[in-house]
Each structure stands twice: as structure tokens, then as C-alpha cells.
Amino acid sequence: GQQVMQIPQYQHVQEGEDFTTYCNSSTTLSNIQWYKQRPGGHPVFLIQLVKSGEVKKQKRLTFQFGEAKKNSSLHITATQTTDVGTYFCAGRYNQGGKLIFGQGTELSVKP
Amino acid sequence: DAGVIQSPRHEVTEMGQEVTLRCKPISGHDYLFWYRQTMMRGLELLIYFNNNVPIDDSGMPEDRFSAKMPNASFSTLKIQPSEPRDSAVYFCASSFLGGELFFGEGSRLTVL
């Protein structure tokens, strides 16, 4: 079935270190979205990637969509304590169709 | 603008009782999603609606779960009878034309 795999499950970093989380789908995605959920909160939309090979940046965050539209990554440069939370990718296989979430990567940042 | 509004925020009930969770999507949004979040299973899509019509309910665990969307501004998720394994945070989310999802604050359900 349609499934989006995300690794790692947990990542503990020292403040200032970089962080990367990866998502992979066995079949081609129509688009992929990324969300952040703070502890005790709800997922909040970060970005959507649609085109093959697309790269988007938001300050210290860099998002990539693979050439085959089967994988994606989120990279955070020089993490800060405010980056703490769980980062989810969510893949869509058909335009307007259901959004399948990865398992999430929980990021903790040690000051 | 008000975001997605869910109620109740917290519910504690006993096994066998009926539970009804409510959601008001953002005005103008045409998609509504119900997700369940647990530590073990992450964020699971239960069902989603487009223009009030259920499109995919393949994620609904079993017949004890039902969802309705009688109009564009209201949806319910009902569990009857509830079981301890139903304990989770239930999120409602809405979107426009299949774009980004806006999540509610969630309803934390505890079934004793």
C-alpha cells in the first residue's frame, strides 16, 4: 500500500549542529509536504514541494524533492533550541488525494 | 480568522461508552481530514471528505468508528463502543483544493 517511510525516528544534537531527516516512498509522489509539531502541539505546515528535483529554503531550513519524486529531505543548519519538535513529511500520490504522513523525526537540541 | 476548531479538547471516558468528537473546519475549505496520533502508530489518516462527501475511509479501524459531515462547517467522529486501545489524540484538519493542511488543536481521548 501507499506508505511514506521517514528516518531517523529520533535525533539528538548539540545546539549549533546540523540536522537532516529523510523520507522515502516506494512509488512516485504527486507532491510532498513538511510539517513541524512542537511537544504538546499540533502539526503546522512548513512547505510543499511539487517539482522533480525541487529545492526550497526557509532561513536555516532546506527542503529537497528527489528527481524521481520518491524521496525528500529536510536539512536544518546550525540548530537552535527553538527547532525542537517532531518533523513530519507527508506524501500525496494523487492531486487532491489523501496525505500520508511519515512516522516523524523527533529532534531534541541540547543547549 | 479562526482556525480549525475541535471539541472537546480532553475527554476521559469508560470502556463501552460512546464518544463524539467534533470539528469545525476553516470557512471555505473543501477538504476535511480526521487523523489519529499515538506513540506507536504515529499520525494515521482515518477518513477524509471532499465537499462534505467521504472519499476514503479505509483508515477507519473498524465498525465502531463512524464519521459524518452533514454540512461544510461541521464534522463528527464517533466511537461506539469505545475501548482502551482507542486512547489517542484525534486531529481534525482542513484544506483548500488539496493544499496545505490546517490542523486543529486536537482532542485527547482517554478510555479507561
Side-chain angles (χ1 to χ4, degrees):
Chain A
Q2 295 165 341
Q3 200 170 8
V4 176
M5 305 301 294
Q6 187 173 356
I7 58 168
Q9 188 174 359
Y10 302 98
Q11 186 80 55
H12 309 284
V13 300
Q14 195 77 32
E15 189 173 21
E17 292 181 338
D18 292 356
F19 159 77
T20 305
T21 174
Y22 302 90
C23 276
N24 188 66
S25 169
S26 58
T27 54
T28 303
L29 296 163
S30 171
N31 57 65
I32 194 161
Q33 298 178 359
W34 285 90
Y35 292 78
K36 177 183 178 181
Q37 184 176 21
R38 294 184 187 275
H42 59 278
V44 175
F45 175 81
L46 294 176
I47 209 157
Q48 176 170 282
L49 304 170
V50 179
K51 299 177 183 176
S52 168
E54 190 170 15
V55 178
K56 287 188 177 180
K57 292 190 176 184
Q58 288 179 350
K59 297 182 180 178
R60 295 178 293 103
L61 277 62
T62 302
F63 304 84
Q64 291 188 315
F65 202 10
E67 293 290 341
K69 298 183 70 173
K70 290 183 178 181
N71 55 73
S72 182
S73 65
L74 158 60
H75 180 82
I76 302 178
T77 304
T79 54
Q80 300 175 357
T81 54
T82 53
D83 296 325
V84 164
T86 300
Y87 292 85
F88 292 94
C89 61
R92 184 172 271 134
Y93 292 89
N94 302 300
Q95 189 62 31
K98 61 186 178 183
L99 205 57
I100 305 296
F101 278 76
Q103 298 92 326
T105 297
E106 183 179 340
L107 172 65
S108 63
V109 180
K110 189 174 182 181
Chain B
D1 278 344
V4 175
I5 300 172
Q6 289 187 247
S7 65
R9 291 293 312 279
H10 302 273
E11 172 110 2
V12 180
T13 190
E14 293 190 345
M15 183 172 63
Q17 296 298 306
E18 178 179 294
V19 173
T20 299
L21 307 178
R22 299 172 177 80
C23 176
K24 177 179 169 55
I26 292 173
S27 177
H29 281 190
D30 55 348
Y31 283 84
L32 184 138
F33 303 80
W34 281 101
Y35 284 89
R36 177 172 69 176
Q37 187 173 40
T38 60
M39 289 292 292
M40 291 297 295
R41 302 175 71 89
L43 265 169
E44 301 175 273
L45 177 64
L46 301 178
I47 186 171
Y48 79 99
F49 297 82
N50 178 218
N51 292 321
N52 315 337
V53 176
I55 303 300
D56 188 331
D57 65 354
S58 58
M60 296 286 262
E62 48 200 271
D63 291 345
R64 297 184 298 106
F65 285 68
S66 63
K68 294 182 179 179
M69 191 166 186
N71 57 63
S73 59
F74 184 65
S75 177
T76 59
L77 178 67
K78 188 173 292 187
I79 309 172
Q80 166 64 16
S82 59
E83 297 182 3
R85 60 192 168 122
D86 301 331
S87 297
V89 179
Y90 291 80
F91 286 105
C92 175
S94 69
S95 71
F96 179 64
L97 290 180
E100 67 178 276
L101 267 59
F102 292 82
F103 282 80
E105 298 287 335
S107 294
R108 182 175 293 277
L109 173 65
T110 302
V111 183
L112 303 174

